[in-house]
């Protein structure tokens, strides 16, 4: 996806030190008062996260945006697809802003609307036009893909409701075509007890996704082969190493991790679920966590009475989430206070209407 170019900030922003930036953001927030809502995903860095009005996983933030009817400006400290969803779910008079336009999501970029539309047609030609196939897209996808899914009778899902939405999809049709995250799809199908030989991978760019028409006819769930570069860094070997070192450690991972990692873990779930599990565990509990490093480090700081570690010995950082820096947050707020809108994220009306069908379906399910 080509995003609009991010403007260079005036030098004065880079020159300002951390305490001054914090002070100025706090002052701008006070000035904009209840016209403003700052939403922050759990992967945001601390110096941005501290300014959030609402923090959450993708589902919680989508709901917060949908219910914030009275806020004129929604500054979304997250990635592009999240800001798009917020724009779709808010009123026409509300303005959604992404502080740095380069904050995309590599997984969402792996499923372009055109290539998915082509694959969809190819699949239908192979299995027969009369076959009812339900498309489901993870919220980590472009508004255009959500619109395609809405148009074809499908739904959006997030990491906290993927199993429920997949169950719904299989109740509506004979097959589900799941985008863009292979691993969330595979982990959810396994949790529902769908046999492995009924779950098929569609490899982008290959005729019939690299499958035979017979195999596609038999499959219940067809998975697009997208993935998250951050969560792919966790391995089953990491789990075994932690268990050898700390036999009483508990392992919790995000469902974007590979199947074998989820299988070796004790629990898996969305960022919100990970936070809840750690919070609800007793003092002295030990955790190895397979998700983005900013969230793991925050949990370690919030729970000094527990042993909190990253599952991987390496820093698994989402570099696009990390693009949202206090300098950019302040810059968008300074502009708002001066009556200028910068970095607005808008989804055209037709796309928004169709994408909304898929998003509303999820909120209903
Ligand atoms: P959550 O919905 O669990 O917050 O995950 C979003 C995401 O992008 C994880 O990589
Ligand atoms: Fe996308 Fe992965 Fe970053 Fe989540 S962690 S926003 S899926 S690249």
């Amino acid at each position: 996806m080509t995003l609009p170019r991010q403007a260079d900030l005036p030098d004065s922003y880079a020159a300002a030190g951390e305490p001054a930036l914090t002070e100025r953001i706090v002052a701008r927030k006070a000035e904009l008062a209840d016209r403003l809502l700052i939403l922050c995903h759990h992967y945001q860095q601390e110096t941005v996260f501290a300014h959030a009005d609402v923090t959450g996983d993708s589902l919680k933030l989508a709901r917060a945006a949908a219910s914030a009817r009275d806020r004129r400006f929604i500054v979304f400290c997250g990635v592009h697809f999240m800001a798009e969803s917020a724009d779709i779910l808010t009123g026409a008079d509300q303005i959604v802003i992404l502080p740095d336009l380069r904050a995309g999501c590599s997984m969402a970029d792996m499923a372009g609307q055109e290539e998915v539309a082509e694959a969809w047609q190819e699949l239908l030609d192979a299995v027969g036009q009369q076959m009812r196939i339900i498309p489901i897209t993870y919220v980590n996808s472009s508004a255009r893909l959500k619109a395609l899914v809405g148009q074809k009778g499908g739904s959006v899902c997030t990491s906290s409701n993927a199993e429920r939405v997949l169950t719904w999809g299989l109740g509506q049709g004979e097959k589900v075509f799941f985008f863009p995250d292979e691993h969330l799809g595979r982990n959810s199908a396994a949790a529902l007890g769908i046999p492995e030989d009924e779950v098929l991978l569609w490899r982008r760019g290959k005729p019939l996704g690299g499958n035979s028409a017979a195999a596609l006819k038999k499959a219940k769930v067809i998975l697009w082969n997208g993935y998250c570069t951050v969560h792919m860094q966790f391995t089953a070997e990491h789990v075994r190493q932690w268990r050898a070192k700390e036999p009483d450690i508990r392992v919790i991972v995000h469902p974007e991790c590979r199947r074998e990692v989820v299988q070796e873990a004790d629990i898996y779930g969305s960022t919100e679920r990970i936070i809840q599990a750690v919070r609800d565990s007793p003092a002295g509990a030990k955790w190895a966590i397979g998700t983005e490093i900013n969230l793991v480090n925050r949990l370690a700081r919030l729970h000094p009475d527990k042993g909190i570690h990253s599952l991987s010995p390496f820093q698994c950082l989402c570099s696009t989430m990390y693009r949202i820096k206090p300098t950019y947050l302040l810059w968008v707020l300074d502009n708002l206070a001066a009556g200028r809108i910068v970095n607005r994220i808008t989804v055209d009306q037709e796309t928004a209407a169709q994408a909304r069908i898929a998003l509303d379906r999820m909120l209903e399910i």
Side-chain angles (χ1 to χ4, degrees), residues 41 43 57-58 81-82 138 140 159 228 231 254 256 270-271:
H41 187 266
Y43 294 163
D57 65 3
S58 306
F81 72 80
M82 297 180 178
Y138 188 22
N140 296 30
S159 54
C228 166
H231 289 92
H254 196 277
E256 288 173 14
S270 72
T271 51

Side-chain angles (χ1 to χ4, degrees), residues 41-43 56-61 79 81-82 105 107 138-140 158-160 228 230-231 254-256 269-274 291-292 318 321:
H41 187 266
H42 294 306
Y43 294 163
D57 65 3
S58 306
L59 182 62
K60 187 173 162 196
L61 294 178
V79 288
F81 72 80
M82 297 180 178
C105 164
M107 178 202 284
Y138 188 22
V139 69
N140 296 30
T158 72
S159 54
S160 31
C228 166
V230 179
H231 289 92
H254 196 277
E256 288 173 14
S270 72
T271 51
E272 201 69 23
R273 171 114 199 259
I274 292 172
T291 199
E292 210 268 350
C318 176
M321 285 272 184

Side-chain angles (χ1 to χ4, degrees), residues 124-331:
L124 271 183
D125 291 343
V127 299
Q129 302 288 334
Q130 73 291 348
M131 184 82 78
R132 181 131 168 83
I133 306 169
I134 304 296
I136 294 177
T137 185
Y138 188 22
V139 69
N140 296 30
S141 55
S142 68
R144 292 183 68 213
L145 178 53
K146 290 186 182 85
L148 180 75
V149 165
Q151 198 187 19
K152 300 208 176 293
S155 174
V156 172
C157 75
T158 72
S159 54
S160 31
N161 61 20
E163 288 159 29
R164 208 160 352 126
V165 178
L166 187 55
T167 306
W168 167 86
L170 290 169
Q172 300 289 309
E174 287 134 290
K175 294 183 195 308
V176 161
F177 203 172
F178 191 96
F179 312 98
D181 188 15
E182 168 190 345
H183 305 287
L184 177 66
R186 196 181 293 287
N187 287 318
S188 307
L192 296 179
I194 299 169
E196 273 177 37
D197 62 348
E198 291 180 12
V199 179
L200 220 57
L201 191 61
W202 184 284
R203 293 178 179 81
R204 287 169 277 151
K206 297 207 168 193
L208 292 185
N211 304 291
S212 66
L216 288 167
K217 276 187 186 137
K218 184 171 173 267
K220 270 213 138 2
V221 180
I222 300 164
L223 306 170
W224 193 256
N225 69 338
Y227 55 87
C228 166
T229 45
V230 179
H231 289 92
M232 288 295 274
Q233 294 174 50
F234 300 104
T235 66
E237 186 53 29
H238 290 149
V239 182
R240 291 192 281 270
Q241 282 167 0
W242 271 112
R243 295 213 195 278
K245 199 166 138 200
E246 305 266 5
D248 55 346
I249 203 157
R250 304 201 72 207
V251 178
I252 185 162
V253 300
H254 196 277
E256 288 173 14
C257 291
R258 286 187 191 86
R259 178 83 202 114
E260 65 264 27
V261 179
V262 169
Q263 267 174 317
E264 297 255 354
D266 296 296
I267 319 175
Y268 71 94
S270 72
T271 51
E272 201 69 23
R273 171 114 199 259
I274 292 172
I275 292 166
Q276 197 180 34
V278 171
R279 195 179 47 215
D280 295 349
S281 63
K286 294 177 193 160
W287 290 98
I289 306 179
T291 199
E292 210 268 350
I293 195 67
N294 277 291
L295 174 54
V296 179
N297 287 343
R298 183 173 313 118
L299 286 170
R301 265 194 308 275
L302 288 173
H303 301 282
D305 58 331
K306 299 171 193 178
I308 314 274
H309 311 275
S310 170
L311 177 58
S312 163
F314 308 109
Q315 294 278 313
C316 297
L317 176 93
C318 176
S319 56
T320 48
M321 285 272 184
Y322 198 65
R323 283 196 180 273
I324 310 291
K325 301 211 167 21
T327 41
Y328 288 87
L329 176 57
L330 176 60
W331 174 69

